[in-house]
Amino acid sequence: GATVKGGNMDISCSRCGASQSFWYSAANVLKLVYTEGWRSYGSALYCPKCSATWDERNKGRPFPEPEAAVGVIDEWYRRSKRRYSP
């Protein structure tokens, strides 16, 4: 899941709950995915540790390309901006 306050975004792993806080920007999203190793399957996001063990737990189910995780994070951010916050 994800929460956003201002431009700060918190994301969490769908498997273990590990979380990461960062200032939302294209550069930071790319760093999270391509450098740090956050990945996604469908709308579920996985931390680097759980991403590294994906194949052991999900034999025969390949991980999508990293671009999928970028799309999930971007969509979560867009959705948060549509919500009314008093």
Side-chain angles (χ1 to χ4, degrees):
T3 58
V4 179
K5 274 194 172 165
N8 199 49
M9 188 169 188
D10 294 312
I11 57 174
S12 60
C13 178
S14 295
R15 180 170 182 265
C16 73
S19 63
Q20 176 85 34
S21 250
F22 66 100
W23 184 259
Y24 179 83
S25 70
N28 286 341
V29 171
L30 293 174
K31 179 182 174 212
L32 280 171
V33 173
Y34 289 98
T35 305
E36 295 180 19
W38 284 80
R39 300 289 294 271
S40 69
Y41 190 88
S43 62
L45 198 61
Y46 297 96
C47 70
K49 196 180 264 187
C50 291
S51 294
T53 59
W54 174 266
D55 289 333
E56 297 167 22
R57 297 187 321 277
N58 298 281
K59 299 214 182 300
R61 193 180 335 161
F63 235 168
E65 293 299 314
E67 294 83 23
V70 172
V72 168
I73 295 169
D74 287 345
E75 181 59 25
W76 285 350
Y77 184 78
R78 279 192 296 277
R79 284 184 185 178
S80 76
K81 297 303 206 196
R82 286 187 237 146
R83 294 186 186 136
Y84 171 75
S85 359

